[in-house]
Amino acid sequence: MKYELRANAQYGMTIFFVVLAVVILVAQVVGDGWHFAALTALFGVGMVVEAYALFMMPSIRIDAAAITLRNTYRDVRIPFSQLRVVEARYGLTLTAANGRSYHPRFFGGTTARSPYRKHQPEPIPVISDGEISTTARTREVEVLIGKLMDGAGRQSAGQKVSWRVAWDRVSVSVAGFVVMAVAIMALTA
C-alpha cells in the first residue's frame, strides 16, 4: 500500500506562477518589443522551475510502515509505531513518541466544518495493496492516517523518527533560482 497526497493549493500556486511568467513575458514584448524576450522567457522558465520545486514536489507519502512528510527542503519519516497523536484542528500535526510535533507544509488549513459547505469530500479509501496518488484536504488526511494507525504499528516496530535533506527538491529549487539570477544579471548588464 502506498499513498502520495497533495493539497489542492499546491496546484493553484503552481498555475499562478506559470500564468505570472507568461504575463511578464507578454508585458516585456508589448513594452519593449522582442529585444529582451529571450532573457525574459529564461527568467520565466526559472520561475516555473522554482514554483515546481516549492509547490508541486512536496507531498505526504504513506506506506505500510511509516508516514513521510516530504516538505520543501526536508523529509521526515515517522514510523507508525512512533506516531502518538494525529491532529488537524488548525492544520495537520503529527506528534511522535519523542514528543516532537511535525507539520506537513501544505496541509495547514483548518478542519472546522462550515454549515455553508454543501459538498463534503469523499474519504480516501484504505487499500491493502496498490498505489493512490491524489489531492486531499487536511481532514481527509487525518481520517486516513487514523484508520491506518490501528493496524500498522507492527510493521514498523523498533524504527525511529528520522529526517534527511530532500536533495531532489533542493537541487531543482537551486536550479530555478540560478536560471532566474542569470536572466536578471543578463537583463541588467
Side-chain angles (χ1 to χ4, degrees), residues 119-143:
H119 172 71
Q120 292 300 326
E122 291 291 321
I124 303 168
V126 176
I127 58 172
S128 58
D129 60 343
E131 287 188 30
I132 292 181
S133 180
T134 188
T135 59
R137 294 182 179 168
T138 305
R139 175 75 178 146
E140 296 169 336
V141 176
E142 177 195 30
V143 169

Side-chain angles (χ1 to χ4, degrees), residues 37-98:
L39 293 174
T40 305
L42 183 65
F43 177 82
V45 167
M47 186 186 312
V48 170
V49 168
E50 190 71 28
Y52 179 75
L54 295 177
F55 300 115
M56 288 306 298
M57 292 181 83
S59 65
I60 296 176
R61 283 193 180 159
I62 303 173
D63 58 35
I67 299 168
T68 303
L69 304 179
R70 295 175 35 108
N71 287 329
T72 305
Y73 300 115
R74 182 174 78 153
D75 290 343
V76 177
R77 186 175 184 279
I78 307 168
F80 280 109
S81 63
Q82 296 293 310
L83 189 59
R84 295 296 177 255
V85 179
V86 178
E87 194 174 45
R89 187 169 179 188
Y90 298 109
L92 189 62
T93 303
L94 306 176
T95 305
N98 62 9

